[in-house]
Amino acid sequence: MKIFIYHTPELTPIEETPECAIAVDVLRATTTMAAVLAAGGEAVQVFSDLDKLMAVSQQWPAEKRLRAGERGGQKLAGFDLGNSPLDCTAEVVQGKRLFISTTNGTRALQRIEKSPIVLASALVNRAATVKFLLQKQPETVWIVGSGWEGSFSLEDTVCAGAIAHSICQQTNSSLEAITGNDEVTSAIALYSQWQDDLLGLFYQASHGKRLVRLDGLEDLKYCSQTDILDVLPIQHEPGVLKNHY
Ligand code: 3SL
């Protein structure tokens, strides 16, 4: 297995696809997706375009749908939810499909949607992601960070490093054996330095600071937890993700 990390959707190659592609948006879209499916949500359907989200979700039975919209870290008017994983309790999401559009995370998923296997991962479901990769043994894995409007983000990179680090450890592989590009080495180094204080790293991150300003400290704490959800969002049809487990 060769792992490649791309820090943003914009940096991700378009002329080829890997066997398995993983979108990561730790703060907060892929954490929220994992939380929805862990709480019994039927599926998550992602959109970059808000009008399209409204039109497609309109076709779905009203009692079985939730609409989540976020821009700039804030909930959009007219939507049931913003993008907080803490809102995704069983009472709210059980049996429902979440139609969601966020600033960066949904764009990352759309960038990789043509890959044969598409996953959505975060720190909360890192172990479930690694378990799947070790069972499936894809030859090439791309981990695509969502970043923030085209820029690098610490939180997505540390999560990509956490996944690669665990693959290395569990397979007793050398770094060289699994590394597809230089980004993997630096992401593992970042994770190795901060693994015991991920919340501390998020306080340094520009989007972490933005969320704290927007009263999102509890979200930051939730998203900084590792391996707490045994759930893996996997794409069933373009843009529609369900739990693999
Ligand atoms: O950028 C995104 O897709 C969001 O996850 C951003 S936020 O955490 O909801 O502000």
Side-chain angles (χ1 to χ4, degrees):
M1 187 190 311
K2 282 280 181 202
I3 301 175
F4 298 76
I5 294 174
Y6 299 103
H7 291 310
T8 63
E10 290 76 7
L11 289 169
T12 306
I14 40 175
E15 62 285 353
E16 48 184 315
T17 50
E19 198 177 334
C20 175
I22 306 174
V24 172
D25 185 9
V26 172
L27 295 175
R28 296 166 291 179
T30 54
T31 303
T32 296
M33 290 172 198
V36 167
L37 297 182
E42 178 264 333
V44 171
Q45 188 161 355
V46 301
F47 297 84
S48 50
D49 184 74
L50 293 171
D51 293 334
K52 194 160 176 218
L53 184 158
M54 282 298 174
V56 173
S57 60
Q58 198 61 38
Q59 313 297 318
W60 207 254
E63 69 284 3
K64 290 195 172 166
R65 73 170 178 236
L66 284 168
R67 292 165 171 149
E70 169 276 329
R71 288 293 180 272
Q74 292 182 294
K75 175 177 178 286
L76 292 174
F79 283 73
D80 303 303
L81 299 170
N83 188 22
S84 171
L86 296 176
D87 290 339
C88 303
T89 59
E91 295 70 40
V92 176
V93 306
Q94 181 90 47
K96 295 187 182 169
R97 177 169 293 204
L98 186 80
F99 295 86
I100 184 170
S101 179
T102 69
T103 313
N104 304 289
T106 50
R107 283 190 315 121
L109 272 162
Q110 286 189 331
R111 188 63 175 247
I112 59 173
E113 71 181 10
K114 293 198 169 60
S115 300
I117 303 172
V118 175
L119 309 176
S121 300
L123 288 165
V124 289
N125 69 338
R126 187 273 304 255
T129 303
V130 170
K131 182 168 74 177
F132 176 88
L133 294 175
L134 294 178
Q135 277 165 3
K136 262 276 190 267
Q137 291 289 336
E139 244 171 61
T140 47
V141 176
W142 290 5
I143 307 177
V144 176
S146 301
W148 185 267
E149 295 181 342
S151 303
F152 171 93
S153 77
L154 283 170
E155 64 277 11
D156 295 341
T157 305
V158 84
C159 178
I163 294 169
H165 181 265
S166 181
I167 298 278
C168 244
Q169 281 205 324
Q170 292 196 44
T171 56
N172 276 323
S173 302
S174 65
L175 193 56
E176 202 183 351
I178 63 138
T179 297
N181 61 4
D182 288 357
E183 286 86 335
V184 178
T185 308
S186 80
I188 290 176
L190 184 71
Y191 175 70
S192 300
Q193 175 157 351
W194 287 91
Q195 59 184 314
D196 297 324
D197 186 18
L198 291 165
L199 182 59
L201 178 66
F202 289 5
Y203 285 133
Q204 307 297 322
S206 56
H207 189 44
K209 291 177 182 165
R210 182 180 296 109
L211 286 177
V212 170
R213 281 197 303 274
L214 293 171
D215 210 17
L217 179 56
E218 293 308 313
D219 277 1
L220 222 61
K221 289 182 186 166
Y222 182 85
C223 295
S224 70
Q225 300 174 96
T226 305
D227 303 341
I228 58 164
L229 300 179
D230 190 22
V231 70
L232 185 62
I234 185 165
Q235 182 172 267
H236 276 237
E237 58 187 273
V240 178
L241 295 103
K242 298 186 177 189
N243 185 13
H244 176 71
Y245 292 114

